[in-house]
């Protein structure tokens, strides 16, 4: 089931595509940090490259909305805030890993889907339905990821 | 401090999808990806202006550029497209399976050992995915 109703297989394909990309980038990032050092400069290069590459798609999406279209200010602010919190997540996780072993950090940081479920339940309950299966599924995924991460220590 | 960092990481990633979901109601995902990357990049540039940039060889720039294409051009855009279609909760749960990909690659390419705990983790995660997709 999806926010649009019914099984949105393209939506699931995008979600798994995202997981594959993040899962592939993570070890590449570790190698990059080991070989080249500075996380801040490295991430800035990665962000600048990503932004340059996405710019033509973003402009095309803007023009695709029709003449005279302007993004809503409120929506833009939400997405800007999303960019800030994504960086907060990434930066805090990297900092935590520099201070504590992964066996301590991973079980805490990988609980983020549960925080999303909680926030959706509180703030988006009128627009997004969370079934019991979704909530239990999120818990199982978090437990599984914790086991997988701990198995590598 | 490390403990607080781990909590902030969960809070940051957990909040990210919810905020994006609100913005994606009226913004196309590609444009939203560009806007969110602007915010992340602006913060990094401010931090670099304060602490100063590190020297990077050309190979390092190329390496992190490649990470940018995988993680931000593709990863964040897929994330936003999925969030728009499935909602924040489902997308966040499915994206959380990304460590399975990392470790799957380590097992396939680096020959890392498959342990009972690893198998249990995969089993739990796959069960969770089946519930989320079927829910």
């Amino acid at each position: 089931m999806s926010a649009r109703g019914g099984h949105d297989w393209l939506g699931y394909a995008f979600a798994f595509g995202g997981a594959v990309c993040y899962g592939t980038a993570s070890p590449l990032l570790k190698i990059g940090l080991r070989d080249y050092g500075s996380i801040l400069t490295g991430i800035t290069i990665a962000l600048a490259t990503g932004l340059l590459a996405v710019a033509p798609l973003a402009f095309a999406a803007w023009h695709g909305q029709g003449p005279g279209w302007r993004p809503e200010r409120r929506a833009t602010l939400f997405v800007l805030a999303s960019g800030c919190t994504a960086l907060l997540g990434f930066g805090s996780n990297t900092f935590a890993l520099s201070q504590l072993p992964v066996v301590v950090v991973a079980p805490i940081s990988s609980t983020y889907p549960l925080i999303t479920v909680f926030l959706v339940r509180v703030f988006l309950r009128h627009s997004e339905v969370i079934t019991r299966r979704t909530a239990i599924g999120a818990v199982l995924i978090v437990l599984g990821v914790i086991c997988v991460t701990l198995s590598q220590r | 401090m490390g403990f607080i960092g781990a909590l902030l990481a969960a809070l940051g990633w957990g909040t990210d999808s919810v905020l994006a979901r609100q913005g994606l109601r009226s913004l196309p995902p590609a444009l939203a990806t560009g806007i969110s990357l602007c915010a992340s990049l602006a913060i990094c540039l401010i931090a670099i202006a304060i602490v100063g940039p590190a020297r990077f060889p050309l190979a390092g720039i190329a390496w992190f550029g490649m990470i940018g294409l995988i993680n931000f051009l593709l990863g964040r855009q897929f994330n936003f497209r999925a969030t728009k279609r499935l909602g924040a909760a489902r997308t966040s749960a499915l994206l959380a399976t990304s460590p399975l990909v990392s470790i799957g690659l380590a097992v396939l390419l680096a020959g890392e050992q498959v342990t009972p705990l690893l198998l249990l983790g995969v089993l739990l995660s796959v069960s969770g995915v089946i519930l989320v997709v079927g829910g």
Side-chain angles (χ1 to χ4, degrees):
Chain A
M1 299 279 280
S2 74
R4 296 177 167 203
H7 284 282
D8 186 340
W9 297 111
L10 189 57
Y12 293 126
F14 283 135
F16 285 117
V20 168
C21 289
Y22 291 151
T24 307
S26 179
L28 295 178
L29 187 65
K30 278 182 194 164
I31 295 168
L33 293 177
R34 185 197 64 200
D35 292 352
Y36 304 109
S38 176
I39 173 108
L40 181 59
T41 307
I43 292 306
T44 306
I45 293 167
L47 278 166
T49 309
L51 182 57
L52 281 174
V54 87
L57 300 174
F59 281 117
W62 182 312
H63 288 298
Q65 297 297 305
W69 182 83
R70 288 279 179 278
E72 278 179 25
R73 193 176 164 202
R74 190 165 174 268
T76 306
L77 288 174
F78 271 119
V79 173
L80 282 170
S82 156
C84 295
T85 52
L87 190 65
L88 172 73
F90 181 82
S92 303
N93 191 54
T94 307
F95 170 75
L97 286 171
S98 71
Q99 302 285 311
L100 295 171
V102 72
V103 290
V104 179
V105 175
I108 302 167
S109 63
S110 56
T111 58
Y112 72 89
L114 306 181
I115 292 176
T116 305
V117 167
F118 172 76
L119 292 174
V120 167
R121 191 88 180 87
V122 173
F123 295 108
L124 302 180
R125 64 182 178 277
H126 298 300
S127 57
E128 192 173 327
V129 177
I130 296 181
T131 63
R132 190 173 292 176
R133 285 172 69 113
T134 303
I136 295 170
V139 171
L140 287 179
I141 289 170
V142 168
L143 289 175
V145 167
I146 291 171
C147 287
V148 166
T149 309
L150 295 184
S151 75
Q152 298 305 296
R153 295 296 100 201
Chain B
M1 289 300 283
F3 183 73
I4 292 170
L7 284 175
L8 280 177
L11 193 64
W13 284 329
T15 313
D16 169 30
S17 304
V18 179
L19 291 168
R21 171 85 165 120
Q22 288 291 78
L24 285 163
R25 283 177 199 286
S26 63
L27 291 178
L31 182 58
T33 307
I35 293 170
S36 80
L37 288 179
C38 283
S40 303
L41 182 61
I43 294 172
C44 283
L45 288 175
I46 291 168
I48 280 195
I50 295 167
V51 301
R55 282 190 164 276
F56 258 58
L58 201 57
I61 293 171
W63 187 266
F64 279 97
M66 178 181 68
I67 292 171
L69 295 179
I70 296 170
N71 198 74
F72 297 120
L73 170 67
L74 296 176
R76 194 172 289 189
Q77 196 164 178
F78 284 156
N79 175 354
F80 279 8
R81 286 180 189 275
T83 301
K84 187 165 184 121
R85 300 180 77 100
L86 302 175
R90 277 171 201 280
T91 302
S92 185
L94 297 176
L95 285 174
T97 60
S98 67
L100 268 68
V101 176
S102 304
I103 289 165
L105 287 173
V107 170
L108 285 174
L109 303 177
E112 286 212 20
Q113 214 174 357
V114 178
T115 63
L117 191 57
L118 174 67
L119 287 176
L120 174 67
V122 171
L123 189 68
L124 283 170
S125 293
V126 170
S127 307
V129 167
I130 290 169
L131 278 177
V132 169
V133 171

